Amino acid sequence: MVNPDEFPSIQSLCMKIAYRMCKFYPELMGEFMRTIESMDMTFYKPAVKCVRSRILGSKR
């Protein structure tokens, strides 16, 4: 998910699946959100940036 060398579609799908899996566990959701927030977006494609912003926007 955080490997910039991976295809953007795979990264986006992994982020969506991880978010849905962590929804039911608050301790995992906190860790997931910290991981997403710490991603340096200069290395990622627009698809990954969009999914990240939607995930961060839905939680706040």
Side-chain angles (χ1 to χ4, degrees), residues 1 20 22-23 25 36 39 49-50 54:
M1 177 177 77
R20 288 183 182 174
C22 292
K23 261 186 173 177
Y25 303 100
I36 295 294
M39 292 171 64
K49 292 178 182 180
C50 180
R54 286 185 179 199

Side-chain angles (χ1 to χ4, degrees), residues 4-43:
D5 297 329
E6 195 62 63
F7 293 114
S9 58
I10 294 174
Q11 289 176 320
S12 300
L13 181 63
C14 287
M15 289 172 76
K16 289 178 182 181
I17 291 172
Y19 176 71
R20 288 183 182 174
M21 289 173 60
C22 292
K23 261 186 173 177
F24 303 105
Y25 303 100
E27 60 276 0
L28 290 178
M29 182 57 85
E31 186 174 341
F32 175 71
M33 294 306 276
R34 283 189 297 275
T35 302
I36 295 294
E37 289 170 350
S38 68
M39 292 171 64
D40 184 15
M41 296 315 306
T42 58
F43 301 110

